[in-house]
Amino acid sequence: MFEMKLKRRSALLGAAGLLAAMSFAGTAAAITPEEIKAKGKLVVGIQGDNPPWGFVTSGGKQDGFDADMATLFAKELGVQVEFVPLEVNNRIPALTSGRVDVLFATMAMLPDRAKAVQFSKPYNANAIVLIGPKDKSIKTNEDMANMTISVAKGAAQDTQVTKNAPASATIRRYDGDAASIQALVSGQAEALGGNIFYLDRVEKAAPGKFENKLEFQKLYNGACTRLGEKELNAALNTFIDKIKANGELQKIYDKWMKVPVPQFPESIEGIPFTAK
């Protein structure tokens, strides 16, 4: 029992340490909005298989909530947008290494991540949940005892399930959202750590079998730039304020989320919205 707890704690500390280290190693040179305009395109890191946030259509087009956000920001800058589909665990390295200019990639605003990247103001609200069988009672964290739970490795749901599940639970970590969802619907896992928008995908794959059971954490998503990129961060914040005020953000919400734009916090502890 002690050994299992120690391994779980080490996994959490290791993930936090990795994120912090990224802010000091392998960071590309800063880029400004003017430099992006000069090259004529905005290179955006986005999730490639996580609807409704970011996914590739059957026609090969990148689409989703974050794709619409990024396309609108590129239009604001007067440039074309180029998408680079990413998995959960390579989003931050793709940014810090200079592979992409900015992340619109379902980036939950977490203090550990804020040590490695610069968040914008929030533009979306989310929640981390446990999805489980409709016929199984899961009302408290203790009800996850002895269960096998799938998660996307390194994502916020990995952190929350690891933190909240009893030591007797088996947590299986997969490379990305699609693989963790497939593990649930195929019977490799009994429950799934995800966000509030996972259930639609689960329902399509296994109609009528699963539901949201527990809510672990409310989260907000922000766009990410490299640390110290003051001008690009300022441009993103001005853009987000603008689309909140003129109704463009509500149009994107209407298209993908079917709910009103939430009230966003003016600040989040441990996460500055403005680059220093």
Side-chain angles (χ1 to χ4, degrees), residues 46-58 61-72 83 106 123-126 195-201 204 221 243 247-262:
I46 193 167
Q47 288 203 275
D49 190 17
N50 187 19
W53 307 100
F55 61 95
V56 178
T57 68
S58 58
K61 177 180 178 290
Q62 185 75 49
D63 208 355
F65 186 101
D66 281 337
D68 282 359
M69 287 289 297
T71 300
L72 202 58
F83 290 109
T106 329
Y123 64 84
N124 197 293
N126 202 348
N195 63 52
I196 55 175
F197 301 104
Y198 268 40
L199 189 59
D200 181 60
R201 297 172 68 182
K204 288 175 181 176
N221 294 346
I243 63 173
E248 291 290 343
L249 183 57
Q250 184 61 67
K251 289 179 182 178
I252 298 175
Y253 255 85
D254 289 342
K255 180 179 178 181
W256 295 108
M257 305 305 180
K258 309 292 193 294
V259 297
V261 175

Side-chain angles (χ1 to χ4, degrees), residues 71-92:
T71 300
L72 202 58
F73 182 54
K75 182 180 178 182
E76 183 76 10
L77 294 176
V79 299
Q80 298 296 310
V81 65
E82 177 183 307
F83 290 109
V84 177
L86 302 170
E87 294 288 355
V88 169
N89 58 0
N90 69 350
R91 291 174 296 180
I92 292 177

Side-chain angles (χ1 to χ4, degrees), residues 201-253:
R201 297 172 68 182
V202 172
E203 182 66 18
K204 288 175 181 176
K209 293 184 178 181
F210 299 97
E211 63 186 3
N212 290 338
K213 293 290 188 177
L214 301 174
E215 182 175 304
F216 298 123
Q217 182 183 29
K218 290 188 182 298
L219 291 174
Y220 296 94
N221 294 346
C224 294
T225 53
R226 289 177 282 274
L227 295 172
E229 290 185 328
K230 296 181 182 180
E231 293 179 41
L232 189 54
N233 167 253
L236 278 164
N237 285 335
T238 298
F239 162 72
I240 290 169
D241 284 341
K242 179 179 177 178
I243 63 173
K244 287 177 184 176
N246 69 12
E248 291 290 343
L249 183 57
Q250 184 61 67
K251 289 179 182 178
I252 298 175
Y253 255 85

Side-chain angles (χ1 to χ4, degrees), residues 47-174:
Q47 288 203 275
D49 190 17
N50 187 19
W53 307 100
F55 61 95
V56 178
T57 68
S58 58
K61 177 180 178 290
Q62 185 75 49
D63 208 355
F65 186 101
D66 281 337
D68 282 359
M69 287 289 297
T71 300
L72 202 58
F73 182 54
K75 182 180 178 182
E76 183 76 10
L77 294 176
V79 299
Q80 298 296 310
V81 65
E82 177 183 307
F83 290 109
V84 177
L86 302 170
E87 294 288 355
V88 169
N89 58 0
N90 69 350
R91 291 174 296 180
I92 292 177
L95 177 66
T96 57
S97 68
R99 185 181 172 198
V100 300
D101 299 325
V102 63
L103 293 177
F104 282 93
T106 329
M107 288 294 292
M109 301 175 75
L110 302 170
D112 279 339
R113 288 178 177 172
K115 298 173 184 176
V117 297
Q118 175 62 56
F119 280 103
S120 68
K121 293 180 178 181
Y123 64 84
N124 197 293
N126 202 348
I128 301 303
V129 300
L130 184 81
I131 297 168
K134 286 185 176 180
D135 60 2
K136 184 175 179 63
S137 177
I138 307 174
K139 296 182 178 179
T140 68
N141 288 349
E142 287 68 33
D143 292 333
M144 291 185 282
N146 302 310
M147 294 186 71
T148 300
I149 305 169
S150 62
V151 296
K153 181 170 60 180
Q157 52 266 32
D158 184 354
T159 301
Q160 287 301 312
V161 171
T162 301
K163 175 182 176 181
N164 288 285
S168 62
T170 298
I171 302 171
R172 292 184 175 168
R173 297 174 174 86
Y174 295 85

